Amino acid sequence: MTHQPLLQVKDLHVFYDQIEALRGVSLSVDERAIVTLIGANGAGKSTLLRSISGILRARSGSIKFAGASIEQAPAHLIARTGLAHVPEGRRLFAKLTVDENLRMGAFRRNDRRAIEDDRERLMDMFPRLRERTAQISGTLSGGEQQMVAMARALMSRPRMLLLDEPSMGLSPLMVDFVFDTITKINGEGITILLVEQNASLALQIATSAYVIESGSISLQGSGVSLLHDERVREAYLG
Amino acid sequence: MMTATNVLPERRARWRISFSAATSWVLRISIALILVAGVVGSILKDRYSADQWFDLVAFGITIGSVYALIALGYTMVYGVLRLINFAHGDIMMAGSFAGFFIAASMERSGFLDQHPVLAFAAMLAVAMLVSAGIAVLTERFAYRPFRHVRGLAPLICAIGVSFFLQQSFRGFFGAGLRSYPDPVWLRAPVSLFEFNVPAVQVLVVASAIVVMLVLYLIVHKTKMGTAMRAVSEDVETATLMGIDVNRVVTFTFALGGAVGGVAGVFYGLVFKQVYFFMGFTPGIKAFGAAVLGGIGNVPGAMIGGIFLGICESLAPALLLDGLGIPAPYQMRDLIAFTLLIAVLIFRPYGIFGERLAGKRG
Ligand SMILES: Nc1ncnc2c1ncn2[C@@H]1O[C@H](COP(=O)(O)OP(=O)(O)OP(=O)(O)O)[C@@H](O)[C@H]1O
Ligand SMILES: [Mg+2]
């Protein structure tokens, strides 16, 4: 038996009109790993995640998730295969309540009892949401919104989570909480592909990591090795 | 040099803003003066009895709830697609025809008069099915190809669909007016607060309230309704939840169409006639009502519709008569459209001032 990664991206080329945002990106994520992707603004991190979850269509290249080719599949079907994407900027349904957002996360599920159980577990994981379930989510603080965004994604019982800059705009305390939560989620067996500006923390929790520059992968290795890499230290750890 | 060229256009811009603000205030004040003068004039003339005022208000609420039902279709479709479904008035017309044919056949067999509840339910059910079906087909074949097209093309297509439906009905069923069946159970007046109200009006308002309540519950308490609101806010994120946007859009058209079909039957019952062009005017008015309530806003459409109905029913007596305008009742439609224009000028986001959900993926 050859070893099969859970997610495998091969030679992906993605364009916005004429501009090539991804120039042959390859990356693989093993089951139960935390893989971190770092890179400067505009390097193509979000573009990669959006291509994986099917919002953007790649011009060429392949994406395999759990053994199936998904590069041609529509986004809502990809979401149903167990891939949950927490987008950059959280993108809550701002006019919906926290609870309604969570229920949208569980849109594809019909197991009422288990949905209730999951909701309860997530309230334990994010205690600050418990007393805010009826609040219109647009009125939550940034940290609370990030919790809802993650909880909403987890409501689908995903096999893998794509996290796009979950610590963006959060206080140091909240950043620590988010990273602790990511480790905890991963401990429950959920595979994670994490995009982060906060390179130091993201590399510390990573099993393996990639650096993306102008649409190409420029470096890859274990989290620790990149953490100590001269080029990474200079460019991303300041 | 640099500063001089920079300052000049800025000043001009500021002056232009204050000029438009000034004209807008002049407009506002003159409208207010006309309103006050008309109302005072009408009250001084004292031409109407309490009974007549009550009739006008009751009729306004009746026709207003029909507008509200139609407006819901506009507002829901706009909410999920940012498309003004200009054919929606004609979808209502289709429902009116469907209800008419069922009612006419039941009238011939005597069923209509013998079983009011069943007959009424049958009319509504068939009208809802037909209108929902046409709405869904319209979306699938006329609007979906334009889903990601920017600019005026989708709107022009919607206008084309409107003509298509009108001319189809004209082709199949003729251009003449047909009078809607008038069962005995709708003729007797009902007494309400010591006033007499035609039974039709009581039935229409009561059923419209039930329909709106059910619709509100669907939109706010069911999974599909919540998905509709989610898609309306952010299509892209909705798909990330595994929501099939096409299904949500189909559901929205079906729901809006069904409610439009109910409105068609009510419109037929109130005005006692059907014809191929009947959807046009109430359609545009209901669109105005949806804008009045803030398009995309479900409770807003309900309130906007009823408000518009009361305005156009009361305004001839309360306003135009006082201004000494002859034949004020011919000007109902004018009132409705003036109101629509005024809303667009002064409150383009509707009376509730709610802004449209910002971006769309
Ligand atoms: N919708 C779009 N249309 C055109 N170009 C785009 C679009 N979205 C992104 N780009 C371009 O593609 C490139 C990659 O953008 P992307 O959002 O993937 O960067 P990123 O690595 O996520 O950056 P950040 O850290 O700022 O989020 C950038 O040059 C950006 O300007
Ligand atoms: Mg990004």
Side-chain angles (χ1 to χ4, degrees), chain A residues 50 53 55 75-76 79-80 83 85 87 91-96 100-101 104-110 152, chain B residues 220 223-224 226-227 229-231 233-234 236-245 247 354-355 357 359:
Chain A
R50 289 155 59 82
S53 58
I55 294 170
H76 71 274
R80 295 174 192 183
L83 195 63
H85 181 172
R91 302 279 285 265
L92 296 187
F93 302 114
K95 291 186 198 163
L96 269 52
E100 287 171 334
N101 268 281
M104 285 298 98
F107 185 80
R108 287 308 303 165
R109 297 174 57 187
N110 289 311
R152 182 176 66 177
Chain B
H220 284 267
K223 193 148 114 177
M224 213 48 188
T226 312
R229 288 180 291 136
V231 167
E233 271 198 56
D234 187 339
E236 204 172 278
T237 307
T239 62
L240 290 181
M241 306 291 116
I243 295 173
D244 181 349
V245 173
R247 265 192 61 202
E354 191 182 319
R355 286 193 166 247
K359 53 172 183 270

Side-chain angles (χ1 to χ4, degrees), chain B:
Chain B
M1 271 308 276
M2 286 272 286
T3 46
T5 48
N6 273 343
V7 164
L8 203 58
E10 208 176 281
R11 250 197 213 157
R12 211 185 274 155
R14 211 179 295 145
W15 182 79
R16 211 181 288 135
I17 286 163
S18 68
F19 177 76
S20 79
T23 42
S24 135
W25 275 105
V26 168
L27 252 170
R28 270 170 223 238
I29 291 166
S30 22
I31 288 173
L33 285 178
I34 293 173
L35 286 178
V36 170
V39 172
V40 169
S42 293
I43 290 170
L44 290 181
K45 275 187 179 172
D46 198 22
R47 266 176 55 180
Y48 299 92
S49 66
D51 273 359
Q52 285 169 315
W53 284 119
F54 187 85
D55 283 352
L56 290 175
V57 173
F59 183 78
I61 293 175
T62 307
I63 192 63
S65 37
V66 177
Y67 292 154
L69 293 178
I70 307 174
L72 284 165
Y74 280 105
T75 241
M76 290 192 297
V77 164
Y78 186 87
V80 298
L81 282 186
R82 302 294 181 272
L83 169 84
I84 294 163
N85 178 11
F86 257 106
H88 189 61
D90 306 293
I91 286 167
M92 168 227 138
M93 174 272 290
S96 196
F97 263 91
F100 163 79
F101 283 120
I102 285 292
S105 75
M106 289 190 298
E107 192 175 41
R108 282 193 292 277
S109 69
F111 191 84
L112 188 65
D113 285 333
Q114 287 155 19
H115 302 278
V117 177
L118 281 180
F120 185 58
M123 284 167 71
L124 291 185
V126 172
M128 286 167 84
L129 271 177
V130 167
S131 287
I134 292 181
V136 167
L137 290 176
T138 299
E139 188 278 325
R140 181 63 190 82
F141 294 108
Y143 297 154
R144 198 170 293 180
F146 288 100
R147 183 79 62 80
H148 298 289
V149 177
R150 281 168 206 282
L152 284 175
L155 189 72
I156 291 167
C157 178
I159 293 171
V161 171
S162 168
F163 283 119
F164 175 83
L165 290 176
Q166 285 169 20
Q167 296 309 320
S168 308
F169 274 77
R170 181 186 184 160
F172 285 117
F173 307 115
L177 291 174
R178 292 158 187 246
S179 61
Y180 228 74
D182 189 20
V184 280
W185 39 274
L186 282 183
R187 284 180 223 151
V190 176
S191 103
L192 207 72
F193 313 112
E194 298 167 28
F195 294 101
N196 278 334
V197 188
V200 172
Q201 297 190 6
V202 177
L203 182 71
V204 164
V205 173
S207 330
I209 289 172
V210 172
V211 170
M212 287 191 252
L213 219 71
V214 170
L215 189 81
Y216 185 86
L217 290 178
I218 291 176
V219 172
H220 284 267
K221 299 291 173 208
T222 68
K223 193 148 114 177
M224 213 48 188
T226 312
M228 256 172 74
R229 288 180 291 136
V231 167
S232 154
E233 271 198 56
D234 187 339
V235 184
E236 204 172 278
T237 307
T239 62
L240 290 181
M241 306 291 116
I243 295 173
D244 181 349
V245 173
N246 282 334
R247 265 192 61 202
V248 172
V249 168
T250 300
F251 178 79
T252 308
F253 272 84
L255 203 58
V259 174
V262 172
V265 169
F266 291 172
Y267 200 78
L269 290 175
V270 170
F271 290 106
K272 305 205 170 27
Q273 59 190 28
V274 276
Y275 65 111
F276 75 98
F277 198 61
M278 67 183 284
F280 184 74
T281 307
I284 302 233
K285 283 185 191 169
F287 167 65
V291 173
L292 206 67
I295 193 151
N297 179 334
V298 167
M302 302 178 186
I303 295 167
I306 290 169
F307 180 74
L308 181 69
I310 294 176
C311 279
E312 74 166 35
S313 178
L314 269 185
L318 190 58
L319 182 63
L320 301 181
D321 227 15
L323 293 175
I325 290 172
Y329 288 94
Q330 315 262 310
M331 297 178 78
R332 274 208 170 123
D333 293 353
L334 182 64
I335 294 279
F337 292 123
T338 309
L339 189 66
L340 171 57
I341 294 169
V343 169
L344 287 173
I345 294 173
F346 296 117
R347 299 217 60 125
Y349 296 105
I351 25 186
F352 300 132
E354 191 182 319
R355 286 193 166 247
L356 304 173
K359 53 172 183 270
R360 250 175 85 78

Side-chain angles (χ1 to χ4, degrees), chain A residues 24-43:
Chain A
V25 169
S26 299
L27 155 156
S28 67
V29 180
D30 285 334
E31 179 109 51
R32 291 173 181 268
I34 298 183
V35 173
T36 291
L37 178 68
I38 57 175
N41 292 117

